[in-house]
């Protein structure tokens, strides 16, 4: 059988980083769709109209914005396939499950997006669409970070601190979930009303109440992160874990500032979009914290000569 060379660690790392960027970009461009009221710029799916797969001049800017977001899915698909192929052609079997998850997430997200459009931007499917994207950002981040090391080694934290780090990840998930409820209850629900203005409040919750709940859980999250950081320094934990906790705290604080400013300035579009980017960065930093809790394997160097793998038919 013909033999194909394995992909080098550097190539896999670059592709994995591109995967993180592409998944994050989908979230941000999705925010642009929502904040410009372009959620139904293409009113059906998988076509953009009943007669065309692409936007038409009559659909104007809203159609272009929504269709542009759909096109980015093809870029994400290409990157995910490249990552999957590169990982499969390497000796890194530990990366294969993560690569498969990031690849399978693309059609799942496309299907959820289609349901979202066909249900007239049902706020709950919109929320699921966003949350699945954050999961893919987290998985692709771990894949990227693992690809930079020769493998997964032993835990670096004692059980109480490892549980605290896991608790921070869980509370982060709750914060992101409540963030979707706040958005779905506010003025940026993704489409336009009959007067041509952005429709809002589609989830039916009181915006002030859910915003306060969201802020309360954010305070809890920041407190847990501060506690972890103090504990890590107290026990002289490895630098990689302390740096990950420190950077996460910085991102959380910046995200909190943006959140408070956008709330008290009545949710200007630019700040809401910046807040969505912050959600992506918080997800990346949280995934990095979880990743940092285990050290690298030492059995083989990362720059070991690439092995040859047989081609499959």
């Amino acid at each position: 059988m013909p033999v194909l060379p394995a992909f080098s660690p550097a190539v896999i790392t670059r592709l994995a980083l591109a995967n993180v960027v592409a998944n994050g970009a989908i979230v941000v461009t999705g925010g642009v769709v929502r904040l410009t009221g372009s959620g139904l710029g293409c009113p059906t799916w998988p076509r953009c109209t009943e007669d065309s797969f692409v936007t038409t001049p009559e659909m104007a800017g809203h159609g272009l914005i929504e269709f542009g977001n759909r096109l980015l899915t093809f870029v994400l698909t290409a990157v995910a396939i490249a990552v999957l192929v590169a990982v499969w052609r390497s000796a890194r079997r530990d990366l294969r499950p993560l690569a498969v998850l990031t690849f399978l997430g693309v059609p799942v997200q496309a299907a959820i997006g289609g349901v979202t459009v066909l249900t007239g931007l049902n706020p709950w499917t919109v929320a699921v669409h966003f949350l699945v994207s954050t999961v893919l950002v987290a998985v692709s981040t771990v894949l990227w970070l693992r690809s930079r090391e020769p493998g997964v080694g032993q835990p670096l934290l004692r059980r109480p601190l490892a549980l605290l780090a896991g608790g921070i990840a869980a509370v982060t998930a709750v914060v992101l979930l409540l963030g979707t409820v706040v958005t779905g209850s506010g003025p940026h629900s993704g489409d336009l009303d009959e007067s041509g203005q952005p429709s809002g409040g589609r989830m039916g919750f009181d915006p002030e109440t859910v915003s306060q709940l969201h802020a309360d859980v954010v305070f809890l999250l920041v407190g847990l992160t501060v506690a972890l950081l103090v504990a890590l320094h107290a026990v002289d934990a490895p630098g990689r874990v302390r740096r990950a906790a420190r950077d996460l705290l910085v991102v959380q604080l910046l995200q909190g500032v943006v959140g408070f400013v956008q709330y008290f300035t009545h949710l200007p579009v630019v700040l809401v979009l910046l807040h969505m980017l912050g959600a992506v960065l918080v997800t990346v930093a949280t995934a990095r914290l979880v990743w940092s809790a285990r050290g690298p394997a030492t059995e083989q160097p990362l720059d070991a000569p690439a092995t040859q793998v047989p081609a499959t038919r």
Side-chain angles (χ1 to χ4, degrees):
M1 267 192 310
V3 176
L4 296 177
F7 284 80
S8 71
V11 170
I12 294 174
T13 296
R14 293 190 191 102
L15 289 173
L17 177 57
N19 202 25
V20 177
V21 173
N23 277 286
I26 281 285
V27 176
V28 176
T29 57
V32 173
V33 170
R34 185 165 191 161
L35 294 169
T36 57
S38 303
L40 294 177
C42 286
T44 189
W45 186 90
R47 295 175 181 264
C48 193
T49 70
E50 293 294 339
D51 303 315
S52 174
F53 280 101
V54 301
T55 184
T56 62
E58 294 77 16
M59 302 171 74
H62 293 303
L64 289 173
I65 292 172
E66 164 65 7
F67 185 68
N69 182 246
R70 294 188 183 189
L71 286 180
L72 189 56
T73 301
F74 290 98
V75 177
L76 179 58
T77 301
V79 174
I81 291 174
V83 170
L84 185 62
V85 171
V87 168
W88 224 265
R89 290 292 182 186
S90 76
R92 295 296 303 275
R93 294 181 178 273
D94 60 302
L95 299 180
R96 290 183 179 182
L98 297 173
V100 170
L101 285 175
T102 59
F103 170 71
L104 293 180
V106 177
V108 169
Q109 273 293 69
I112 296 173
V115 172
T116 300
V117 172
L118 295 176
T119 56
L121 301 186
N122 181 288
W124 298 104
T125 57
V126 172
V128 170
H129 199 38
F130 170 79
L131 293 172
V132 172
S133 285
T134 60
V135 171
L136 292 176
V137 169
V139 173
S140 59
T141 298
V142 173
L143 171 59
W144 168 55
L145 292 170
R146 283 190 179 180
S147 72
R148 300 168 62 194
E149 297 181 339
V152 182
Q154 296 300 312
L156 300 177
L157 300 178
R158 293 185 180 275
R159 183 173 175 79
L161 292 182
L163 289 175
L164 180 54
I168 289 172
V171 176
T172 299
V174 175
V175 168
L176 293 172
L177 173 61
L178 290 174
T180 65
V181 176
V182 172
T183 303
S185 303
H188 299 299
S189 291
D191 62 347
L192 304 177
D193 59 24
E194 294 180 355
S195 66
Q197 298 299 315
S199 64
R202 301 186 67 193
M203 281 189 173
F205 297 106
D206 175 58
E208 185 175 349
T209 300
V210 293
S211 295
Q212 183 61 59
L213 178 60
H214 179 60
D216 291 341
V217 181
V218 168
F219 282 127
L220 172 62
L221 177 61
V222 172
L224 291 174
T225 307
V226 170
L228 176 64
L229 187 57
V230 171
L232 292 174
H233 281 278
V235 301
D236 195 24
R240 62 189 272 145
V241 189
R242 284 182 286 159
R243 288 190 297 272
R246 177 203 62 198
D247 295 347
L248 173 59
L249 179 61
V250 171
V251 174
Q252 289 172 347
L253 293 175
L254 292 174
Q255 176 75 333
V257 169
V258 174
F260 275 105
V261 172
Q262 72 166 4
Y263 179 80
F264 289 109
T265 55
H266 307 293
L267 304 176
V269 169
V270 173
L271 286 183
V272 175
L273 187 61
L274 186 60
H275 200 52
M276 293 192 69
L277 174 61
V280 172
L281 297 178
V282 167
T283 301
V284 170
T286 304
R288 179 186 172 208
L289 174 65
V290 174
W291 158 83
S292 70
R294 297 185 73 94
T298 57
E299 290 80 6
Q300 57 179 342
L302 184 60
D303 57 355
T307 59
Q308 301 288 313
V309 294
T312 55
R313 299 194 177 198

